[in-house]
Amino acid sequence: MDPCKFRPSSTYDTTYTTTNAGAPVWNDDQALTVGSRGPILLEDYHLIEKIAHFARERIPERVVHARGASAKGFFECTHDVTNLTCADFLRAPGVQTPVIVRFSTVIHERGSPETIRDPRGFAVKFYTREGNWDLLGNNFPVFFIRDGIKFPDVIHAFKPNPRSHIQEYWRVFDFLSHLPESLHTFFFLFDDVGVPSDYRHMEGFGVNTYTFVNRAGKSHYVKFHWKPTCGVRNLLEEEAAVVCGRNHSHATQDLYDSIAAGIYPEWKLFVQVLDPDHEDQLDFDPLDDTKTWPEDLIPLQPVGRLVLDRNIDNFFAENEQLAFGPGLVPPGIYYSDDKMLQCRVFAYADTQRYRLGPNYLTLPVNAPKCAFHNNQYDGAMNIVHRTEEVDYYPSRHAPLRHADRHPIPSRTITGTRDKAIIPKQNDFKQPGERYRSWAPDRQERFIRRWVEALSHPKVSSELRAIWVNYLTKCDTSLGQKVGYNLNVKPNM
């Protein structure tokens, strides 16, 4: 073929994955890590190219979480947790920190209905005295995948068919049939909690594992839980259809009207705390975001309360330009080697730079409320008035000192470069336990949703058999009932 006459076309697609430059990719399932658990290496060119390209696929709306609503308020520390973290905003009970919170649906466009069966985002920006903390999560405590290299793929599968622009679950089942780790999240998505009644009656979870570090340098893994004080409420299919017929922005309006009427939404923040030295007590990897930590082994500990008492002043400035990124953490809170979290630290900041520009963190809604200074100058939409002559470090003309050192996790990392799977996957136990905890009527609704989704004419008999067998591994009776309705016999 004459390279000068070559026109990029799917006609010339290879039968294997390549980079954008055409280099073959020998593993598109795991990110390159130090050892089987991480952390991820920046030298994984394919991962960085894949994530960076994914973040630039759509303008100007968000690639995911495009449909959202925001409100402002405060977070109040209510319990002493200084034994766990040196985070300044958690220094004592009674300390209040201003916040802005954005709730969202995940997959569909900005104008999509808020009654869609879809995970909901629950993102909180804390304006602390030591910089902003962005705690991003969902209304489910788990996610479909455990390795960030698959994030573009799982979102592509859930997004509308690129030919018809219609969301079709056969694509979801096709992709996730290769990833049984996704089952646990399906046991939330296809459960009654798959359609929250509104944002006020919705739980939130940090999903990923973070690290608390105290002043002595001791680290603990933590999971974050938001519990609404007004309780959890959901919509069944018939109710959702009625609500959507009346108002496709019902959750946004409920949030706005409630605050305007003085009915302030409130959540309690709890944490689960695990000493990394004791993680062997679990039969799964605690950094696996497809797993929950059993509350009987690792109980919830109260931390504080979140109150939303003010509506935003301008939807574009404080919702559309509001930008979150899990890389923003204050002293006392740090990441873990959770592979999804490690990837999100890069991906979210990168997509905001693309969506809003390199100075997105100086926009009023994103800027810290404390004093800040660095030498990152100019660029598109630079709105900070600066008069100094020195824009470099170090300088004898304008000395600038380092901040006081704060502790970060000091765990020794050893391992070989590899694209590896975590050793303790255990993908079927927790979904089965969740199913067996439900009342019979709730189980029947769950079964019906599976049967309806797997009955799509484009779901092949092979895919139906795979998913029925997965469900059977979670719970024998569940697999048998779904299989019976689909005329598929489980492989016992």
Side-chain angles (χ1 to χ4, degrees), residues 260-395:
I263 305 171
Y264 300 142
E266 181 175 337
W267 288 261
K268 303 292 187 185
L269 177 63
F270 297 86
V271 293
Q272 289 178 288
V273 181
L274 175 64
D275 189 324
D277 295 335
H278 300 155
E279 65 174 75
D280 287 343
Q281 66 180 296
L282 303 174
D283 60 3
F284 60 90
D285 190 322
L287 306 188
D288 181 354
D289 70 349
T290 71
K291 302 293 185 293
T292 55
W293 294 357
E295 294 180 18
D296 57 339
L297 292 177
I298 309 172
L300 298 179
Q301 301 183 35
V303 175
R305 69 187 186 114
L306 170 70
V307 179
L308 299 181
D309 58 3
R310 287 178 295 147
N311 279 310
I312 57 177
D313 300 310
N314 179 275
F315 186 81
F316 180 78
E318 296 181 297
N319 185 78
E320 294 306 288
Q321 288 193 320
L322 177 58
F324 294 91
L328 302 184
V329 292
I333 301 175
Y334 205 70
Y335 325 115
S336 74
D337 290 339
D338 177 334
K339 292 187 182 186
M340 273 299 300
L341 177 59
Q342 291 257 322
C343 184
R344 293 175 77 211
V345 168
F346 164 78
Y348 280 62
D350 185 58
T351 195
Q352 303 297 3
R353 293 185 193 100
Y354 167 66
R355 193 173 69 87
L356 297 171
N359 290 296
Y360 75 97
L361 285 176
T362 64
L363 294 171
V365 71
N366 301 319
K369 306 304 181 189
C370 59
F372 65 98
H373 177 81
N374 59 50
N375 294 316
Q376 296 175 20
Y377 269 59
D378 303 332
M381 295 178 63
N382 178 23
I383 62 174
V384 178
H385 180 64
R386 311 185 81 157
T387 59
E388 62 265 35
E389 295 180 289
V390 174
D391 57 355
Y392 48 85
Y393 174 87
S395 166

Side-chain angles (χ1 to χ4, degrees), residues 414-431:
T414 59
T416 58
R417 286 185 177 90
D418 198 4
K419 285 178 172 272
I421 299 173
I422 60 172
K424 290 195 291 186
Q425 298 173 59
N426 206 354
D427 293 327
F428 304 102
K429 180 182 177 182
Q430 290 192 358

Side-chain angles (χ1 to χ4, degrees), residues 240-254:
V242 172
V243 170
C244 185
R246 289 199 305 256
N247 181 2
H248 87 305
S249 300
H250 78 284
T252 296
Q253 183 166 358
D254 175 84

Side-chain angles (χ1 to χ4, degrees), residues 451 468 478-490:
V451 171
V468 167
L478 168 62
Q480 289 175 336
K481 290 176 181 178
V482 173
Y484 174 80
N485 283 277
L486 293 171
N487 197 27
V488 175
K489 187 176 182 180

